[in-house]
Amino acid sequence: MASRQRQVQTEERDHVSVWERLERPAPAPRTTLTPQRIAKAAVGIADAEGLDAVTMRRLATELGVAPMAAYRYVTGKDELLELMVDFVYGELDLPDGTEGWRTTMRTLALRIREVLLRHSWVTRVTWCAPTPNQLAVPEAALTALDGLGLDADTAMAVYGTVTAYVHGAVDSEVGLTQLLRVRGWASREEARSGLASQMAWLMSTGRFPMYARYIGEADRKDDLLWQFETGLDCVLDGIAARLPV
């Protein structure tokens, strides 16, 4: 009978999202473990050692609890990842939208970049079930776009375009950081020195005159924030040009 009861409870957990379960009244606490503590510890491991280092056993060790303790809150790695992503997006200070759609979208993009660079492993998460803090981001963006004459599909496409730019730019920054670490280079300047002979040969072929011009004339090669903001403004200019008059 007890075995059958456990089976029913397990099946119920498998069909209910972690967020719905966490909204239910909490049982009498048996430990100091909470979803927030679990997420914070897991994010700390991922920040320090990468996403692959996050396992339920390692998490239990970090929290100082029995290996099965976290399963009171999450059914496994997938739900743990949801808690982690939600924790990270919870760090976002969302704009209130009172300064207009463009300022709101620009501020949102800059703040998402900051969070993603702080937790670069998030860029490896190709899919995750929606979480409350994650959904708060498009909610804020769509609220800012409301009233501009855009239909629902176009408004979501605008939001998706901005966030696609953010993620692409952050992926590039994270990739460069990883390259520096793998090659043992301390800075972008050191990376350029390490690649100098290879780049010199490539430029000497004469096949890349515009890139050679960039190398010789560009003054903001290491100003990643300026590069990000300039690209972002180009995206926002394009959106502005398509808005209904």
Side-chain angles (χ1 to χ4, degrees):
M1 185 68 174
S3 176
R4 174 57 182 165
Q5 186 177 12
R6 284 196 299 271
Q7 181 181 350
V8 170
Q9 291 173 341
T10 299
E11 290 175 352
E12 181 188 35
R13 284 166 59 86
D14 289 344
H15 289 84
V16 177
S17 78
V18 61
W19 307 109
E20 184 176 345
R21 292 201 309 273
L22 293 179
E23 287 284 336
R24 295 173 178 174
R30 289 178 290 178
T31 70
T32 58
L33 203 58
T34 65
Q36 186 79 356
R37 274 196 68 205
I38 292 171
K40 184 176 181 180
V43 167
I45 296 170
D47 288 347
E49 304 174 38
L51 192 58
D52 292 338
V54 181
T55 65
M56 299 300 283
R57 183 170 295 277
R58 171 64 190 285
L59 181 60
T61 300
E62 195 75 17
L63 290 167
V65 299
M68 297 299 292
Y71 285 100
R72 291 183 59 212
Y73 299 94
V74 294
T75 59
K77 185 70 176 286
D78 287 346
E79 287 192 351
L80 175 60
L81 188 60
E82 288 181 46
L83 287 185
M84 293 169 65
V85 169
D86 193 67
F87 183 90
V88 167
Y89 275 91
E91 295 179 358
L92 271 174
D93 180 16
L94 296 175
D96 60 16
T98 59
E99 297 183 339
W101 76 268
R102 181 171 181 134
T103 298
T104 298
M105 297 298 288
R106 196 175 195 278
T107 300
L108 194 59
L110 287 165
R111 291 177 183 175
I112 293 173
R113 173 181 178 266
E114 290 175 0
V115 168
L116 293 181
L117 289 178
R118 198 156 58 236
H119 307 287
S120 61
W121 54 268
V122 178
T123 63
R124 287 188 51 200
V125 181
T126 55
W127 186 88
C128 177
T131 81
N133 285 328
Q134 194 178 30
L135 281 179
V137 181
E139 182 69 20
L142 293 174
T143 299
L145 294 170
D146 190 34
L148 297 178
L150 302 174
D151 60 58
D153 290 321
T154 303
M156 183 59 77
V158 167
Y159 165 73
T161 298
V162 174
T163 54
Y165 169 75
V166 174
H167 282 267
V170 170
D171 281 346
S172 179
E173 289 191 53
V174 171
L176 177 59
T177 299
Q178 292 173 341
L179 175 63
L180 295 180
R181 184 171 61 251
V182 169
R183 294 291 187 93
W185 292 324
S187 65
R188 290 168 64 93
E189 182 62 37
E190 195 170 317
R192 282 192 289 272
S193 296
L195 296 171
S197 60
Q198 181 175 336
M199 289 298 293
W201 182 85
L202 287 168
M203 295 305 104
S204 72
T205 65
R207 297 200 295 266
F208 313 103
M210 297 309 298
Y211 200 88
R213 178 189 171 191
Y214 166 75
I215 291 175
E217 298 181 11
D219 294 322
R220 295 181 179 268
K221 297 186 183 77
D222 297 331
D223 193 343
L224 300 184
L225 179 57
W226 178 88
Q227 294 172 20
F228 179 86
E229 290 185 302
T230 300
L232 176 60
D233 285 335
C234 290
V235 172
L236 296 175
D237 285 346
I239 293 169
R242 292 180 60 88
L243 290 178
V245 178

